Amino acid sequence: QSFRVDVIREEGDTLEFDMVGIDAAIANAFRRILLAEVPTMAVEKVFVYNNTSIVQDEILAHRLGLIPIRADPRLFEYRNQGDQEGTEIDTLQFQLKIKCRRNPQAAKESSDPDELYINHKVYSKHMTWVPLGNQTDLFPDADFRPVHDDILIALLRPGQEIDVLMHCVKGIGKDHAKFSPVATASYRLLPDITLLKPIEDEAAETLQKCFSPGVIEVQNIKGKKVARVANARLDTFSREVFRHEGLKNLVRLARVRNHYIFSVESTGILPPDVLVSEAIKILIGKCQRFLNELDSVPME
Amino acid sequence: IQADGTDGNCVTFVLHDEDHTLGNSLRYMVMKNPDVEFCGYCITHPSESKINFRIQTRGALPAVEPFRKGLNDLMGVCQHVLNTFERSMKEYRAQR
């Protein structure tokens, strides 16, 4: 098959790449799997020992569940149904224990809460990993913590404290959106702009303004300004050109049928290229599952 | 999986725990097969996650054959995509 993949840009958590020569059904299957079926680890059960803050227990638990945890989900297993305790191979334990006190060194008449109170903002960096069983031997160099340290979980005032124990399990986005490993994954088709007749002078200038910057280039050939399509990729397809009577019939806007521009932005748990590879492997795994079933069940 | 059909040529497979993700891509692969006269899938009810996948072959070919071939082809396509993607990532990284 005449198929190629070009990586356009990779910056930190975002990856933009092109797939040429593939069909819509398969491109969409990859997008759906990236969103909903690549597993990650997230907080599932929260054991509240003491919570005297004004954030209710269930709201606190909801917020803790949504925090992305930097833990490679391929090292863990799924938890068995109905298993309450959790073993070393499927659970990660975190503890959040924090108490707010009044700052004795604060100046009198100060009204800045940062100065008056100690520990009044609960950030995700206050979550600590508590190894279960033999996890210290299994993962000697690992450092499991939330991806971002500055996620604000709750606000406290002197005398209030939060003391909770959290269990993280492996899950997929289909079950709950907190398990989705991508901030978003999307694709679009490459635009295809053709000028049916050569466009010159002022019409060329107007044409350039109709499209996003960089799409149409006006060149000076033999003293006349002529328009040329420079980079169709940057266009956002706003169809502004059809509002002008003179230019309406001279331009044809279409899309290249099998050129998909994918854009994957990860939450930081796994790098985006690993996510795409995992998604493709999951699709292979699904096919394999049905092939095995076909072979094992006798067909009448 | 369950199979259901009058004769070997037109069979409706009920695939559990599946949705458009596998249904649409599998349908696309099976349609490429020239022996298949009819191929389609539908989701019986959006609350239940199962799909009805129907294949009808022309001639005397048993319907399980194009199903199996479609699954194998889809696996082949994915493997090819995976290899190409990993190769391009390596080239991109080496070039940066």
Side-chain angles (χ1 to χ4, degrees), chain A residues 288-299, chain B residues 68:
Chain A
Q288 191 66 49
R289 210 182 94 209
F290 283 116
L291 272 175
N292 293 342
E293 276 213 39
L294 254 190
D295 291 331
S296 62
V297 172
M299 291 276 139
Chain B
R68 188 170 299 190

Side-chain angles (χ1 to χ4, degrees), chain B residues 5-26:
Chain B
T6 46
D7 53 308
N9 291 354
C10 77
V11 179
T12 303
F13 299 94
V14 179
L15 307 175
H16 292 273
D17 279 339
E18 284 304 328
D19 57 354
H20 299 286
T21 309
L22 193 68
N24 199 15
S25 27
L26 193 55

Side-chain angles (χ1 to χ4, degrees), chain B residues 48-63:
Chain B
E48 312 178 315
S49 109
K50 66 180 186 188
I51 62 176
N52 280 357
F53 195 88
R54 187 177 173 83
I55 301 184
Q56 199 168 318
T57 57
R58 52 171 130 247
L61 196 63

Side-chain angles (χ1 to χ4, degrees), chain A residues 1 3 5 7 9-10 23 29 32-33 273 277 280 283-284 286-288 290-291 293-295, chain B residues 1 15 18-19 21-22 28 64 67-68 72 74-75 78-81 85-86 88-89 92-93 96:
Chain A
Q1 298 145 326
F3 171 74
V5 175
V7 179
R9 191 174 37 158
E10 182 189 5
D23 183 68
R32 287 176 69 102
I33 294 182
D273 53 311
S277 309
I280 305 180
L283 191 54
I284 297 181
K286 278 186 196 252
C287 296
Q288 191 66 49
F290 283 116
L291 272 175
E293 276 213 39
L294 254 190
D295 291 331
Chain B
I1 282 195
L15 307 175
E18 284 304 328
D19 57 354
T21 309
L22 193 68
Y28 171 73
V64 195
F67 187 52
R68 188 170 299 190
N72 279 323
L74 189 56
M75 275 194 4
C78 293
Q79 195 63 47
H80 181 62
V81 170
F85 178 71
E86 291 191 337
S88 320
M89 279 309 297
Y92 176 78
R93 291 240 169 87
R96 227 175 19 151

Side-chain angles (χ1 to χ4, degrees), chain A residues 62-278:
Chain A
H62 182 239
R63 287 177 74 88
L64 289 169
L66 291 171
I67 298 175
I69 309 278
R70 187 196 298 280
D72 192 340
R74 295 170 289 187
L75 300 170
F76 295 92
E77 307 277 327
Y78 287 102
R79 192 184 269 202
N80 296 326
Q81 293 262 8
D83 184 9
Q84 293 293 334
E85 282 299 315
T87 61
E88 295 105 23
I89 198 62
D90 59 32
T91 314
L92 267 183
Q93 220 177 33
F94 282 89
Q95 191 185 41
L96 178 64
K97 197 174 158 104
I98 191 165
K99 190 175 163 71
C100 178
R101 295 189 322 263
R102 206 176 285 272
N103 186 0
Q105 284 121 8
K108 289 247 174 81
E109 286 125 20
S110 140
S111 59
D112 179 15
D114 284 330
E115 220 186 277
L116 281 176
Y117 314 123
I118 301 180
N119 280 346
H120 73 289
K121 282 192 181 160
V122 181
Y123 287 107
S124 53
K125 67 174 186 252
H126 294 126
M127 282 168 63
T128 51
W129 176 46
V130 176
L132 260 184
N134 63 344
Q135 273 180 348
T136 26
D137 306 318
L138 280 176
F139 312 114
D141 322 309
D143 169 31
F144 296 122
R145 54 189 169 79
V147 175
H148 304 279
D149 283 333
D150 50 358
I151 301 178
L152 183 64
I153 302 176
L155 286 176
L156 299 174
R157 283 292 180 267
Q160 297 178 343
E161 75 175 284
I162 295 183
D163 182 5
V164 298
L165 193 68
M166 296 166 263
H167 278 195
C168 289
V169 293
K170 185 169 164 176
I172 57 175
K174 239 198 243 191
D175 179 26
H176 192 288
K178 71 189 176 198
F179 292 116
S180 178
V182 291
T184 191
S186 64
Y187 67 85
R188 62 189 177 107
L189 284 131
L190 183 74
D192 181 20
I193 306 174
T194 20
L195 300 176
L196 297 167
K197 282 199 221 130
I199 301 184
E200 303 168 353
D201 291 333
E202 284 130 22
E205 292 284 320
T206 347
L207 191 70
Q208 191 178 39
K209 288 207 193 68
C210 287
F211 288 96
S212 314
V215 177
I216 299 272
E217 198 181 51
V218 175
Q219 286 172 331
N220 237 316
I221 299 184
K222 295 185 209 154
K224 270 200 299 195
K225 295 195 240 176
V226 178
R228 193 179 70 87
V229 178
N231 188 359
R233 203 193 159 84
L234 298 169
D235 189 38
T236 48
F237 249 74
S238 64
R239 295 182 129 84
E240 170 77 17
V241 78
F242 293 124
R243 290 178 60 212
H244 298 264
E245 282 306 318
L247 299 174
K248 226 168 34 173
N249 302 323
L250 303 176
V251 180
R252 186 175 58 203
L253 281 174
R255 292 211 185 257
V256 180
R257 274 278 274 280
N258 54 0
H259 186 138
Y260 291 87
I261 303 175
F262 273 81
S263 164
V264 178
E265 187 182 326
S266 156
T267 44
I269 303 177
L270 287 171
D273 53 311
V274 173
L275 282 176
V276 178
S277 309
E278 285 296 307

